[in-house]
Amino acid sequence: MKKTLLIALLCMISAFGMEATAQANKSTNKSSSPTYVLADFRGIKWGAHVDSIKVDGKKLTFTKSADITDKNAYTLANDDMTIGTVNVDKIYYIFNANGRFNGVMVIGKKELGTKKQFGEMKYILKYKFGEPELKEITGGVQYYWMVDDVRITLDDQDAQGTFTLEFYSDFERSESKRINTNVDDF
């Protein structure tokens, strides 16, 4: 009887320890949590229409960019050109053919004076979203994260001395998941 009780107690302690470890691992890497959602970029919700975007009650006015010809890219006048401690050169807001917000492209210098900007940007992303997947690309390396239905890539472009950070949201899939997980018909 005592032996059976001791075994049952050990099993419960072991199960509790494994659950605590799983919870700790979940909290240290937000992207591994199925409940973490990257719903916006700087307060702009994925899927918002270009003509109706407001942040803090103010309507944003986007200007079509001529710099990027293969995408429906826009810029914002007086945009904050910093992310954390990283100074960036360009931030493009990307919209689909229907004028819905679905991406962001950020371009910056790898180094600015003695500041290692690429390393700092990678640190920010790793801190927020965990360890990335790595992929070799022409002229550099790409770091890759998937957070809910948002793909994040950070390209180290050695040859140009720049980095490119991109966010791409499959907001239509996210909306479909939200609706389908809240079905109350049955």
Side-chain angles (χ1 to χ4, degrees):
M1 175 80 171
K2 286 183 184 181
K3 191 174 186 179
T4 304
L5 200 54
L6 181 61
I7 291 172
L9 182 62
L10 287 173
C11 287
M12 287 176 34
I13 290 171
S14 176
F16 177 75
M18 289 187 335
E19 177 64 24
T21 301
Q23 290 299 323
N25 288 340
K26 229 182 221 187
S27 67
T28 60
N29 182 356
K30 292 179 183 178
S31 64
S32 69
S33 172
T35 59
Y36 186 74
V37 176
L38 186 58
D40 62 56
F41 180 85
R42 291 189 167 177
I44 304 170
K45 300 277 186 211
W46 302 117
H49 194 273
V50 66
D51 294 329
S52 64
I53 296 175
K54 292 181 180 180
V55 173
D56 296 330
K58 291 173 49 176
K59 185 176 183 322
L60 298 182
T61 305
F62 292 91
T63 304
K64 180 81 169 115
S65 174
D67 296 346
I68 302 175
T69 56
D70 65 332
K71 294 187 180 185
N72 201 9
Y74 292 79
T75 58
L76 284 171
N78 303 315
D79 204 357
D80 179 4
M81 300 306 278
T82 59
I83 296 177
T85 60
V86 179
N87 298 308
V88 299
D89 297 327
K90 301 276 185 179
I91 300 176
Y92 298 102
Y93 298 84
I94 312 296
F95 294 82
N96 68 12
N98 297 323
R100 301 286 181 178
F101 179 55
N102 71 339
V104 176
M105 179 187 289
V106 179
I107 300 172
K109 291 177 183 62
K110 281 184 62 170
E111 296 182 16
L112 191 60
T114 59
K115 188 173 166 186
K116 307 287 187 201
Q117 297 211 117
F118 176 79
E120 290 186 22
M121 183 60 73
K122 187 168 74 170
Y123 173 81
I124 292 167
L125 293 165
K126 283 175 71 172
Y127 179 78
K128 290 200 62 94
F129 307 119
E131 288 298 320
E133 300 288 325
L134 294 175
K135 179 179 168 185
E136 299 256 345
I137 58 171
T138 306
V141 175
Q142 182 180 79
Y143 299 85
Y144 176 95
W145 294 262
M146 279 302 296
V147 180
D148 194 39
D149 290 325
V150 179
R151 181 183 72 232
I152 305 165
T153 57
L154 177 63
D155 294 349
D156 178 356
Q157 298 158 337
D158 268 337
Q160 293 91 5
T162 62
F163 68 85
T164 301
L165 169 62
E166 290 188 76
F167 295 82
Y168 172 76
S169 169
D170 189 350
F171 67 89
E172 291 165 334
R173 181 175 174 200
S174 294
E175 182 65 10
S176 176
K177 277 194 320 194
R178 185 189 64 74
I179 292 168
N180 290 336
T181 57
N182 290 302
V183 167
D184 60 2
D185 296 318
F186 46 88

